[in-house]
Amino acid sequence: MDKTKAYTPSGRASWTSKLSAEFLGTIFLTWMIGLLGVTFSGVKFESLISFGGDGWISRLTIGWWVALDVLICLAVFSRWSCDLNPAVTTYRMLSKQHSKKYGFIKIGVQIVAAFVAGALILGTQELAHYVSHNPKDDAYMPLADFAKHFGAA
């Protein structure tokens, strides 16, 4: 592809829609996969969606969960922008499909969205613990351990 044909959004509305799609899509993708590690009443979500299965049933169910997550992201966000991953964006910059300016801004948005998704995953775990009042969840409480270590709780 010719260097002059590298894509850069043309107007404010185009930039806003594309970067918003990257931001929200990255959050959704990361949060849905992060749910697999969250515990509800002492039981990991991954066990809940595989109906307590172990071995190949659990792996197959997790694979379907991740595939569903990716398909939902593609169906919802690909109309605007759906790289959702700095590796994909880097490839598009190197192959000159995207301008460097656009690519680096997208990567920055994806990194910020990853941190927001991480906070959402921790918040989801905290909420699950708060709702269940199950002492088994204490083993999976990173924020509680952090607070105990620094004397905040």
Side-chain angles (χ1 to χ4, degrees):
M1 191 173 254
D2 187 19
K3 187 175 184 175
T4 59
K5 294 189 181 199
Y7 178 74
T8 301
S10 57
R12 180 178 285 192
S14 181
W15 275 98
T16 302
S17 66
K18 292 187 181 307
L19 295 179
S20 296
E22 285 294 328
F23 185 75
L24 295 173
T26 301
I27 288 173
F28 180 77
L29 182 71
T30 307
W31 180 71
M32 289 284 284
I33 293 172
L35 278 178
L36 294 170
V38 172
T39 60
F40 298 91
S41 297
V43 179
K44 282 203 172 211
F45 183 70
E46 124 187 14
S47 295
L48 292 173
I49 64 169
S50 64
F51 308 107
D54 198 14
W56 69 271
I57 293 174
S58 177
R59 289 190 294 276
L60 182 66
T61 308
I62 291 168
W64 280 106
W65 178 262
V66 172
L68 177 67
D69 182 24
V70 171
L71 288 173
I72 290 171
C73 278
L74 288 173
V76 173
F77 298 107
S78 65
R79 176 178 179 196
W80 302 281
S81 182
C82 197
D83 289 357
L84 310 177
N85 183 332
V88 175
T89 304
T90 301
Y91 167 76
R92 290 188 181 200
M93 279 192 315
L94 293 175
S95 66
K96 309 226 184 321
Q97 295 175 26
H98 290 331
S99 68
K100 288 181 183 176
K101 175 184 175 183
Y102 181 46
F104 283 122
I105 291 173
K106 278 175 75 169
I107 289 172
V109 167
Q110 293 163 355
I111 290 170
V112 170
F115 280 104
V116 171
L120 278 173
I121 293 166
L122 287 174
T124 303
Q125 177 61 70
E126 293 288 331
L127 181 63
H129 177 68
Y130 177 77
V131 169
S132 71
H133 299 294
N134 190 328
K136 290 181 179 179
D137 286 344
D138 286 338
Y140 305 105
M141 296 297 295
L143 293 181
D145 291 342
F146 179 80
K148 285 178 192 173
H149 179 71
F150 290 101

